[in-house]
Amino acid sequence: MKTHRYIQHVLNILVASLVCCTVYADKPNLIVITMDDMNWDSMGAYGSPIENITPHMDQMAAEGMRFEHAYMVAASCVPSRNALMSGRHSNVSGVMGFYNVESGHFQTLPEVLRSNGYYTAVVHKPRDSSLNDDYDDFWDYHRTIPADDKRNAPKVGQEISTFIAEAKKSNKPFFCVINIADPHQPFFGGPKQDQGGSFVPPTKIYTADEIEVPAFLPDVPKIRKEMTDYYNSVKRGDDCVGAVVEALKREGVYDDAVVMFLSDHGMPLPYAKGSLFREGLRSPWVVRWPGKVKAGRVESDQIISAVDLMPTLLDIADAPVPKGVQGQSFLPVIEGKQHEGREYVFAQYNENAGGLMFPTRSIQNKRYNYIFSPWSDGSTEFVTASTWTAAYGTMKRLSETDAAIRKRFQHWVYRSVEELYDHEKDPHALNNVIDDPAYADVVKQMRSEMETWMRGSDDYVLEAFLKRNDAAFLKQWMAEQDAEAVKRAETLQWKRYKNRSGGTGKRTDRYVPRAD
C-alpha cells in the first residue's frame, strides 16, 4: 500500500511539472476561509444580536454575496471538512469518523486543481482537511499553526504572508484553505483557556449581560457564562479573519481572488455541534469576487450544500469535475443566471471522535428538517463533543428538579427514531411534530426523498430506515454497526491520539472507501 501511495505522489509531481510552464493568467486564485464551530447566526450579517461581534466577516459579506440557506453535510470536524474537499457525503468518501482513509480511489479538490495548474495549500488543520496524513499527496503547502499562535490575529496574519510568498514562487494561481481555530473550544474565559492559545484576548470582551442565550438552550447563569465565552471566542475569530484579509491585501492578492467564507458546522454545545438539527448544520456562506459578484447581494432562493463547494470551484477554475462527485456547481447563481438548483440537502452523522456509533440521517429544505436516528432506543445515551460542556452538565444537574429542562435534556440524550421540525413555526426546533396528523403529507414526502437518496448513494443505513418501526431489528443492526466501529477503533490509523480502544499507536492500516 505504501508503494501505491508513493507512485501516486510521483505521478502528481510529474503532472504538476508538465503544466507549470503554461500560463494560467485567466485562472483566479481561490481562497476558502473557514471558522471552526461557529453558528451561522453568530455573524452580524446573519442577524447576530451581539453588537459589533463580527465586523470583518460582515465587511466581506458587504463586499460580496451571502447565501441565506447554506448547509454542511456533517456536524463534526473531520467528516465535514472532507466533504468540502471531496464533494462527497461521508458514506461515499469513507470519512465517516476520525480515522485515516486510503487515497487514490477518487480525486479530491486540491488534487484536481493541482493537476490543472494550481498551487494548493492549507493553512492550519491539514490533518482534518485531508483524507490521511500524507499531506504532500494533496497539498503543495501545508502548515499547522502552533497552539499558542493559532488564535493570535497578528500571528495568523504572518502565517498568511509566509504562505503567499511561497505561492508566488510557483508562478501559478493558488488554491488555499485557511482554517481559523475559533470559536472551537476551549473558549476564551473558559475553564481551559490556558490551552491551545485560548488565553489570547479578543479586541473586545463581552460581559454576560451583553449576550443572548439561544432559545434552544436554557437561560441560566452557568450556560449564560459559557455562551459569553463562546461569543468572546467568535470575536477573537473575527479578529483573525481581519488579520487574514489584511495580509491578503498587503500581499496584493485579495482583490484578484475568489474568496468563500463559511463555518464547518455549528457551535460546540448541545443541539448544535454533533447533531443534525439546523443549528448543527446551517452555515454562513459568503462569496467575494470583485468584478463578478455584486456587492451586498443576498441569495435567499437557492439552497446550497457543502458538497457543492468542489464542483463550484472547479467550474470557476475551468477544471473537470471528476466522476462520483455528489455536489452541483452553483456558479450560475454567483453569476446571477437562472439555475435549477436543489430543493433538499442531506446530512449525516456516523460516529464521534472516539469511535462511538450514532448513525443519524437528515433531509432539509428551507422549511422542514426530518431526522432519522436508528440508534435511539430510549436507553442509549448520545455522546458527542457537546457532552463535556458546561451547558450539558448544567442541564443534566437542573433536570433533577426542573421538569421543563429535564424534558429538553432527555430529548438531547435519548432522541427519537424519527423527528420532524417546522422551522417556519418553530425556528429553534423545540417541538417534534413527527406524529402530528397535520404534517402527515410532509413526513411521507420527506421519507420518500430520504429513501431515494439512500438508495442512490448506497447508504448502509438504508436497511435500518426500511425497518424503522422494528425495534428488535434496529437493536440487532446497531450491535452489528458498533462491532464494525470497534474494529476501526482497534486497527486503523487515527487522526486523534486515542479513541474508545485506548491509544491509537503507530498503525499502518487505513479505511478503504468504495471506488467511483
Side-chain angles (χ1 to χ4, degrees):
M1 202 58 66
K2 289 184 178 179
T3 301
H4 166 76
R5 292 198 297 270
Y6 175 75
I7 293 173
Q8 183 64 49
H9 179 52
V10 171
L11 288 174
N12 288 338
I13 294 174
L14 289 173
V15 170
S17 66
L18 288 172
V19 299
C20 70
C21 59
T22 306
V23 177
Y24 292 98
D26 59 331
K27 291 181 181 289
N29 293 323
L30 307 173
I31 301 170
V32 176
I33 303 174
T34 75
M35 302 301 291
D36 205 341
D37 291 18
M38 190 183 81
N39 254 48
W40 64 282
D41 58 355
S42 294
M43 183 174 161
Y46 283 88
S48 174
I50 315 304
E51 183 179 355
N52 198 35
I53 184 76
T54 56
H56 299 107
M57 301 179 201
D58 297 343
Q59 182 64 31
M60 198 181 304
E63 295 172 353
M65 65 179 292
R66 62 180 172 88
F67 285 85
E68 276 293 299
H69 303 285
Y71 292 89
M72 297 298 101
V73 298
S76 59
C77 182
V78 173
S80 177
R81 293 178 182 277
N82 274 273
L84 290 165
M85 293 301 105
S86 71
R88 293 161 170 81
H89 287 264
S90 300
N91 65 300
V92 176
S93 71
V95 189
M96 296 182 290
F98 283 64
Y99 43 79
N100 278 345
V101 172
E102 185 177 271
S103 55
H105 296 271
F106 54 82
Q107 286 188 301
T108 60
L109 176 57
E111 290 175 281
V112 178
L113 286 172
R114 180 156 63 179
S115 66
N116 282 271
Y118 272 80
Y119 182 84
T120 62
V122 56
V123 178
H124 201 54
K125 304 200 82 167
R127 171 167 265 191
D128 292 354
S129 305
S130 309
L131 291 177
N132 54 58
D133 295 346
D134 291 332
Y135 305 144
D136 290 342
D137 287 354
F138 313 99
W139 312 100
D140 296 302
Y141 180 98
H142 45 83
R143 168 72 170 162
T144 299
I145 303 176
D148 286 349
D149 294 341
K150 65 183 182 181
R151 303 171 197 262
N152 185 321
K155 295 286 189 180
V156 172
Q158 290 172 15
E159 293 283 351
I160 301 306
S161 291
T162 300
F163 151 68
I164 296 296
E166 291 300 313
K168 287 180 177 179
K169 293 177 184 177
S170 73
N171 293 315
K172 299 177 184 179
F174 66 78
F175 163 60
C176 183
V177 180
I178 303 169
N179 295 317
I180 306 298
D182 272 320
H184 193 289
Q185 292 204 35
F187 298 144
F188 175 78
K192 297 182 179 180
Q193 77 160 29
D194 59 329
Q195 300 178 11
S198 293
F199 53 82
V200 177
T203 51
K204 174 178 171 55
I205 298 176
Y206 295 91
T207 60
D209 60 354
E210 293 179 284
I211 66 98
E212 289 188 13
V213 176
F216 57 87
L217 293 172
D219 189 353
V220 296
K222 284 194 173 181
I223 294 179
R224 178 167 282 269
K225 170 61 167 63
E226 189 166 46
M227 285 301 309
T228 304
D229 298 342
Y230 163 78
Y231 280 117
N232 281 324
S233 300
V234 170
K235 182 65 176 179
R236 184 174 55 190
D238 185 72
D239 295 340
C240 291
V241 170
V244 167
V245 170
E246 181 59 32
L248 294 172
K249 289 180 178 179
R250 185 170 60 247
E251 302 302 331
V253 299
Y254 190 54
D255 287 331
D256 295 325
V258 180
V259 178
M260 293 200 184
F261 172 85
L262 55 147
S263 178
D264 65 343
H265 49 68
M267 66 174 67
L269 295 171
Y271 285 98
K273 181 178 180 178
S275 78
L276 301 188
F277 291 102
R278 183 176 69 167
E279 304 298 342
L281 298 169
R282 192 170 178 180
S283 174
W285 198 313
V286 171
V287 180
R288 184 185 186 276
W289 191 0
K292 293 284 189 176
V293 171
K294 183 180 178 181
R297 180 179 161 200
V298 178
E299 174 53 59
S300 57
D301 292 330
Q302 298 287 335
I303 183 169
I304 62 173
S305 167
V307 293
D308 298 337
L309 177 76
M310 179 174 178
T312 302
L313 291 182
L314 292 179
D315 206 358
I316 291 171
D318 194 25
V321 178
K323 174 186 175 183
V325 168
Q326 294 177 285
Q328 58 180 248
S329 171
F330 55 82
L331 177 58
V333 181
I334 294 174
E335 295 177 330
K337 299 176 181 178
Q338 287 294 112
H339 182 60
E340 183 176 347
R342 59 170 82 245
E343 184 177 357
Y344 300 99
V345 290
F346 299 88
Q348 61 184 272
Y349 188 88
N350 293 286
E351 61 182 61
N352 68 16
L356 296 175
M357 281 292 288
F358 298 97
T360 312
R361 299 292 183 268
S362 81
I363 173 176
Q364 298 189 66
N365 58 21
K366 289 188 287 186
R367 178 171 178 176
Y368 299 107
N369 182 17
Y370 169 85
I371 305 173
F372 172 61
S373 304
W375 58 267
S376 175
D377 58 9
S379 61
T380 299
E381 296 187 5
F382 186 45
V383 180
T384 187
S386 299
T387 301
W388 293 276
T389 61
Y392 182 96
T394 300
M395 290 174 70
K396 182 177 182 179
R397 177 175 55 82
L398 294 179
S399 68
E400 298 175 1
T401 56
D402 187 308
I405 292 179
R406 178 166 60 251
K407 180 179 179 181
R408 188 71 177 150
F409 177 72
Q410 289 184 345
H411 183 58
W412 169 250
V413 172
Y414 300 112
R415 309 296 292 283
S416 299
V417 173
E418 292 184 283
E419 299 168 74
L420 179 71
Y421 297 97
D422 181 348
H423 286 297
E424 184 176 288
K425 297 181 178 180
D426 178 24
H428 298 287
L430 302 177
N431 302 296
N432 179 11
V433 295
I434 194 70
D435 294 323
D436 187 334
Y439 292 91
D441 289 342
V442 175
V443 173
K444 182 179 179 181
Q445 179 66 23
M446 290 293 206
R447 285 173 177 162
S448 176
E449 296 289 344
M450 177 68 80
E451 181 178 341
T452 298
W453 183 86
M454 286 180 163
R455 291 186 185 278
S457 65
D458 193 24
D459 190 0
Y460 74 96
V461 179
L462 174 62
E463 60 177 340
F465 181 74
L466 295 177
K467 295 187 177 182
R468 56 188 173 273
N469 297 318
D470 187 337
F473 176 84
L474 294 181
K475 185 177 181 65
Q476 177 60 35
W477 182 84
M478 273 303 304
E480 294 169 358
Q481 303 312 310
D482 191 62
E484 291 297 316
V486 170
K487 291 180 183 178
R488 291 193 291 269
E490 292 177 342
T491 62
L492 298 181
Q493 290 180 355
W494 215 257
K495 291 180 180 291
R496 300 297 183 262
Y497 298 111
K498 62 181 181 179
N499 58 30
R500 65 188 294 176
S501 72
T504 53
K506 297 181 179 180
R507 303 170 186 164
T508 59
D509 289 347
R510 294 173 174 179
Y511 186 85
V512 179
R514 74 185 199 210
D516 285 338

